[in-house]
Amino acid sequence: MNTWKKIDLCGAYRLALQKHADYLHASAHPVTYAEVAQFNTALITGKVPGNFELDMVEAGLLPDPFYGENLLESEKMEDMHLFYARKFDYSTEEGTEPWLVFEGIDTVAEIYLNGKKTGSCDNMFIPQEFPAQSLLREGENELVVHIAPACIEARKNKISAGNTALKYNYEALRLRKAPHMFGWDIMPRIVSAGIFRPVRLEYRPAIRLNQAYLMTAGIDLDRKTAHLQLFYDFKTQDADLSRYEIEVTGRCGDSSFYASERPWFTAGKLDFTAENVRFWWPKGYGAPDLYQITVSIKKDGAVLDTIRHSSGIRTVHLERTGLTDAFFSGKFHFEVNGRKIFILGTNFVPIDAFHSRDRQRLPAVMDLLDDSGCNAIRCWGGGVYEDDYLYTRCDELGILIWQDFMMACALHPTDEEFCRVIRHEAEAVVRRLRHHASIMLWSGDNECDQFTQYGAFPRDPNRNRITRQVLQDVIDAEDPTRPYLPSSPYVGPDAARLVDDTYLTERHLWGPRDYFKSEFYKGSLCNFASEIGYHGCPSRDSLEKFLPADKLWPWQNNDAWMIHAASPEKGTGGSYAYRIELMAKQIRELFGTLPDNLEDFILASQISQAEAFKFFIELFRTGKPNRTGIIWWNLIDGWPQFSDAVVDYYFNKKLAYYYIKQVQQPILLSVAEPKNWCCEVKLVNDTGARQDIFCRINDYMGHNRTVYEGSISIDGEVKTVTSLPYSQGEKKIYTLEWTCGDRSGKNHYLAGNPPFELAFYRDFLHRYYPNI
């Protein structure tokens, strides 16, 4: 980050609210502080960072949208104009230029300084920057921001018959606003607005660094050396650059490097070799060593401007083929520093429906992510580019990031105008995030390739200019160090001719969402699953926080349950009305019947979800080397709901969280699915080193009789330990325990076909996992 002086413009604002109909009939609109303060309709305190609905709730003008059926009241706010106003002091500093910087405005806005328009914006995903020198004055100044209603503004955009979106999301086809905010199966329809990230005034030096990106061009692990390139770009009015110098330093513990050169142009690359390098590794594969990088521009030896940040030295590569077959001959795997990495990750979806609260929730969410044993996340394309804290913390923890661009489940326009918008957005995003060692992949979108093949008029997704040309060009220009995937799942030229996604090497495994051991799941041929999940009901304690007492039970014909499922409309006609019934079906599939009370329903649902997640992760881990990674859906809810998340909005962990934590340990003892009247017991080793492990397997239903006990040495990643007899008609629970040095673990295997007895499983859970 730059080291420029800043004036913080966060805090309390005067916030005036005006319905769109009143806005249209008004003779004038406020552009000064006094005009906002004298507003003749609603005038409240607005927080920055903030969202206006939260300010309305605090002012008593809107009920809590997360409680009961109040979400429907928030939908009535979709036509609201917002006018934010505040005063601040400014004084000129010689040799600097003042810039007004908004890290996030949601979404379409006009900005006024001292009653004069300084700029406008229409993209919530990227920072908005405005030169302010001509409008500022010594002493007191006024800032007014007018935010127009997104749903109204979206009507100005051209939508064509060939464009397609989910039922509630047509506004997001062109408007650069988080798609989930219009309604998604995991998020409510809250088309919010506000200044949701920090605001500041920056004193930028007249001579300054515009860009400084340190790239790893090559490494030698044995010699501990790295070929590094510093790309720099600076601004100056001087014609003569002979007195200038570009300098870069880096330090990580006992390792350091230094390089400098005279620039011959205002942009260039400084090539050098770093010695005694400490490399950045993903979690579980080595230390995530980070260098503190300082890049400076000097003139006559005096420092004029400096950029500082942390970064890791490492290479990343995606090895992939377009298709696989029944013999798993396809490829989809990541390599860091030349070493193949097995991905254990979760989809990172919005952690709050109101993005002004992301930053305060992130530390606790990141602790969960680290504790669960994940070494990767996928920042899903239906949300936002996350707060800087997430990327910095992933760097520190060694957690890899698959970064989608923000397009999801749609056929967006591909005309010149929209291409220009996406190009500008992608350049800003890539420049902001590329120095983070944790980012392993840029991905064009979420499921847009698949959307070309749905419906009455399928088309070839490889004709999509946005993902095949525009984004690829941006990555080539701004970050040639990382792989790029046009879509997830990616339907390339060889796959576009197929009728389904069976043979894709990377898939989203949703399908019928039936029994988690059905052929759809266990017979899947993909090398890599980048989405897969299963429903789980929140705890009673959490349900009581967002459901009225009379809506807690039963679940049938319950509009409050439906709204928190998350249907933005009552009744069974909504796109997501199926999700409560789906949760019930999954319970019935495992236990043969549905509980007649809330407590048993919650327990049965959480057991069903936990067993499913455990099975999915074990299926992929024991399937190495054919299977190369799994990114399950998902860690935590962004609002109170019934969902696939394994931690609910209130940070209450479901049973699945504990099971996931167990089976994502570096050492895992697991039972594979039956073949030829037996089940093989697999030992998985992700440590990268030889391990000596003591194992014990008991037949829990056979008076806890030990059926295997012994010490095993494992050099590779997967080894068969023994086999257990299996009969389809016989229900058993095997318990598995192991020790490796001072580490230990436990697991279990549910053998036989459902239905199982809920009462028996409850007893097993309390006895075998007393601390869950």
Side-chain angles (χ1 to χ4, degrees):
M1 61 183 296
N2 297 92
T3 57
W4 306 327
K5 177 181 175 181
K6 303 173 179 65
I7 296 176
D8 185 5
L9 297 179
C10 297
Y13 280 62
R14 304 302 299 273
L15 173 57
L17 310 170
Q18 187 178 43
K19 300 288 282 185
H20 185 63
D22 295 331
Y23 176 86
L24 292 177
H25 290 99
S27 58
H29 304 117
V31 296
T32 67
Y33 183 91
E35 290 169 351
V36 172
Q38 295 168 6
F39 214 69
N40 58 6
T41 57
L43 183 64
I44 61 176
T45 298
K47 292 181 180 178
V48 174
N51 292 81
F52 85 94
E53 294 94 337
L54 300 178
D55 296 325
M56 292 186 71
V57 171
E58 189 165 326
L61 300 179
L62 188 70
D64 178 5
F66 287 0
Y67 186 76
E69 300 174 25
N70 292 344
L71 174 64
L72 304 181
E73 294 299 313
S74 294
E75 293 175 15
K76 299 175 183 177
M77 302 292 110
E78 292 181 4
D79 65 342
M80 198 70 75
H81 286 257
L82 313 178
F83 298 90
Y84 288 85
R86 70 159 290 164
K87 297 179 180 181
F88 64 95
D89 290 330
Y90 167 78
S91 59
T92 304
E93 290 201 6
E94 187 177 354
T96 67
E97 303 169 359
W99 282 69
L100 186 61
V101 179
F102 295 81
E103 291 188 19
I105 300 182
D106 183 8
T107 295
V108 181
E110 297 174 326
I111 292 87
Y112 297 87
L113 278 173
N114 298 319
K116 303 293 185 181
K117 185 175 177 179
T118 189
S120 60
C121 58
D122 57 4
N123 190 325
M124 78 172 287
F125 294 127
I126 57 177
Q128 306 293 336
E129 304 179 348
F130 306 98
Q133 191 162 19
S134 64
L135 300 178
L136 287 171
R137 57 197 179 208
E138 291 291 317
E140 188 176 82
N141 289 261
E142 298 179 0
L143 171 64
V144 171
V145 179
H146 167 218
I147 300 180
C151 291
I152 302 299
E153 290 297 312
R155 296 176 187 177
K156 300 176 183 179
N157 294 328
K158 175 186 174 183
I159 304 298
S160 302
N163 303 139
T164 301
L166 297 171
K167 176 179 178 180
Y168 308 112
N169 300 97
Y170 274 81
E171 295 99 328
L173 281 171
R174 282 188 183 269
L175 190 65
R176 300 309 294 149
K177 180 177 174 67
H180 76 84
M181 300 177 85
F182 299 98
W184 213 268
D185 59 3
I186 60 158
M187 294 296 283
R189 182 179 174 96
I190 299 182
V191 188
S192 187
I195 305 172
F196 70 99
R197 284 182 176 162
V199 187
R200 62 184 176 272
L201 192 72
E202 293 182 345
Y203 289 80
R204 298 183 177 180
I207 300 174
R208 61 181 178 268
L209 288 163
N210 294 319
Q211 299 182 68
Y213 178 33
L214 186 63
M215 299 178 281
T216 303
I219 63 172
D220 188 321
L221 292 177
D222 295 331
R223 291 187 172 91
K224 296 184 179 180
T225 62
H227 174 204
L228 303 180
Q229 285 187 344
L230 173 71
F231 169 71
Y232 59 85
D233 172 32
F234 64 93
K235 177 184 178 181
T236 180
Q237 296 299 321
D238 290 340
D240 179 12
L241 301 181
S242 63
R243 296 154 62 192
Y244 280 75
E245 181 182 8
I246 297 293
E247 179 182 83
V248 57
T249 64
R251 178 169 295 278
C252 176
D254 60 354
S255 175
S256 64
F257 57 78
Y258 170 86
S260 67
E261 71 174 15
R262 172 213 160 168
W264 291 84
F265 183 59
T266 54
K269 287 182 180 176
L270 172 54
D271 273 85
F272 62 99
T273 298
E275 309 282 348
N276 189 33
V277 170
R278 297 175 65 164
F279 296 100
W280 186 94
W281 289 95
K283 180 179 178 179
Y285 290 81
D289 282 325
L290 293 170
Y291 282 78
Q292 299 306 309
I293 308 295
T294 301
V295 180
S296 299
I297 181 169
K298 294 180 175 180
K299 183 178 180 181
D300 297 332
V303 174
L304 303 176
D305 192 21
T306 298
I307 291 178
R308 293 190 179 95
H309 60 259
S310 61
S311 188
I313 297 176
R314 60 101 185 94
T315 61
V316 62
H317 173 69
L318 171 61
E319 183 73 21
R320 62 169 299 277
T321 59
L323 296 173
T324 187
D325 55 27
F327 304 100
F328 286 96
S329 58
K331 294 181 180 180
F332 193 102
H333 70 260
F334 291 93
E335 297 174 2
V336 175
N337 299 330
R339 181 176 175 185
K340 186 176 178 181
I341 306 296
F342 188 87
I343 299 298
L344 284 171
T346 181
N347 281 269
F348 202 94
V349 305
I351 59 175
D352 203 293
F354 296 105
H355 287 291
S356 64
R357 299 198 291 211
D358 289 349
R359 180 60 180 83
Q360 68 192 62
R361 286 173 61 82
L362 265 172
V365 174
M366 296 304 294
D367 288 345
L368 288 172
L369 178 64
D370 186 37
D371 178 66
S372 68
C374 288
N375 65 11
I377 60 173
R378 172 176 174 251
C379 287
W380 170 68
V384 295
Y385 305 102
E386 297 293 339
D387 186 274
D388 288 340
Y389 180 91
L390 176 135
Y391 300 96
T392 299
R393 194 74 182 112
C394 283
D395 288 346
E396 296 168 348
L397 294 171
I399 293 176
L400 293 160
I401 300 175
W402 168 319
Q403 179 65 60
D404 281 1
F405 289 97
M406 293 303 123
M407 292 175 285
C409 301
L411 297 183
H412 291 272
T414 58
D415 53 56
E416 288 297 333
E417 179 184 359
F418 195 65
C419 285
R420 177 187 56 79
V421 169
I422 295 299
R423 182 178 292 108
H424 175 68
E425 175 185 312
E427 287 174 351
V429 169
V430 174
R431 288 183 182 184
R432 173 191 157 211
L433 299 178
R434 62 189 176 184
H435 70 274
H436 289 284
S438 52
I439 294 181
M440 64 175 173
L441 175 73
W442 301 107
S443 177
D445 59 48
N446 172 78
E447 297 182 357
C448 293
D449 270 19
Q450 289 188 315
F451 260 63
T452 64
Q453 302 180 307
Y454 297 157
F457 308 103
R459 69 187 76 169
D460 185 353
N462 297 286
R463 293 166 51 197
N464 184 343
R465 295 171 61 199
I466 298 293
T467 57
R468 269 52 175 191
Q469 179 181 339
V470 174
L471 291 176
Q472 180 68 75
D473 288 349
V474 170
I475 300 305
D476 289 345
E478 303 295 339
D479 186 16
T481 73
R482 288 181 178 87
Y484 169 71
L485 190 69
S487 185
S488 178
Y490 172 41
V491 182
D494 46 359
R497 298 184 294 270
L498 303 181
V499 296
D500 60 33
D501 60 359
T502 300
Y503 295 103
L504 295 182
T505 54
E506 173 249 340
R507 289 181 64 189
H508 294 182
L509 289 174
W510 293 110
R513 305 194 68 177
D514 54 356
Y515 181 44
F516 52 82
K517 290 187 180 182
S518 72
E519 189 59 29
F520 173 81
Y521 296 109
K522 67 182 182 181
S524 63
L525 300 176
C526 61
N527 303 93
F528 196 103
S530 44
E531 286 188 17
I532 187 171
Y534 218 71
H535 256 55
C537 187
S539 67
R540 184 183 184 106
D541 176 64
S542 292
L543 293 179
E544 289 175 345
K545 286 182 171 68
F546 67 87
L547 294 178
D550 63 340
K551 293 292 186 177
L552 284 172
W553 189 256
W555 62 269
Q556 297 94 335
N557 302 314
N558 190 325
D559 283 334
W561 278 53
M562 195 75 71
I563 286 171
H564 288 268
S567 178
E569 54 185 316
K570 292 185 177 182
T572 58
S575 296
Y576 310 128
Y578 72 93
R579 290 174 68 81
I580 297 298
E581 175 66 26
L582 172 64
M583 183 166 56
K585 284 181 177 179
Q586 291 171 344
I587 294 172
R588 188 186 298 115
E589 190 72 14
L590 186 61
F591 295 107
T593 185
L594 284 174
D596 60 2
N597 63 85
L598 179 59
E599 285 73 17
D600 284 351
F601 186 94
I602 292 170
L603 176 62
S605 178
Q606 290 202 10
I607 291 170
S608 173
Q609 181 192 42
E611 287 286 346
F613 272 95
K614 189 172 87 69
F615 173 71
F616 297 153
I617 294 168
E618 289 177 299
L619 176 69
F620 275 76
R621 291 193 72 184
T622 59
K624 292 190 291 185
N626 296 328
R627 311 278 194 181
T628 58
I630 177 171
I631 303 179
W632 40 268
W633 188 289
N634 64 302
L635 181 63
I636 189 168
D637 286 322
W639 82 301
Q641 65 175 327
F642 302 92
S643 73
D644 301 275
V646 299
V647 182
D648 69 35
Y649 180 76
Y650 304 106
F651 289 92
N652 286 325
K653 300 169 184 173
K654 302 176 187 177
L655 180 62
Y657 178 88
Y658 300 98
Y659 280 16
I660 288 171
K661 182 177 177 179
Q662 288 181 170
V663 299
Q664 291 197 157
Q665 295 180 74
I667 301 294
L668 171 67
L669 193 63
S670 176
V671 179
E673 287 306 287
K675 291 181 180 179
N676 302 322
W677 300 95
C678 69
C679 295
E680 291 186 337
V681 179
K682 303 283 189 177
L683 184 61
V684 182
N685 173 24
D686 280 352
T687 67
R690 175 189 171 94
Q691 299 293 339
D692 296 316
I693 299 163
F694 177 78
C695 306
R696 179 183 291 111
I697 304 171
N698 286 1
D699 180 351
Y700 180 82
M701 299 179 75
H703 305 289
N704 212 27
R705 177 175 57 90
T706 298
V707 296
Y708 176 84
E709 186 174 82
S711 295
I712 303 293
S713 294
I714 180 170
D715 294 309
E717 292 187 292
V718 182
K719 184 174 186 177
T720 299
V721 174
T722 187
S723 62
L724 304 172
Y726 183 90
S727 171
Q728 296 280 351
E730 185 178 14
K731 295 178 175 61
K732 282 183 175 290
I733 296 180
Y734 289 106
T735 61
L736 305 91
E737 299 178 5
W738 64 93
T739 57
C740 179
D742 58 354
R743 295 176 294 181
S744 63
K746 63 194 308 186
N747 194 11
H748 71 274
Y749 178 72
L750 195 61
N753 289 328
F756 298 95
E757 292 185 14
L758 178 59
F760 181 84
Y761 196 108
R762 180 195 287 113
D763 179 74
F764 162 73
L765 190 62
H766 290 164
R767 291 176 182 271
Y768 191 62
Y769 297 115
N771 297 322
I772 293 181

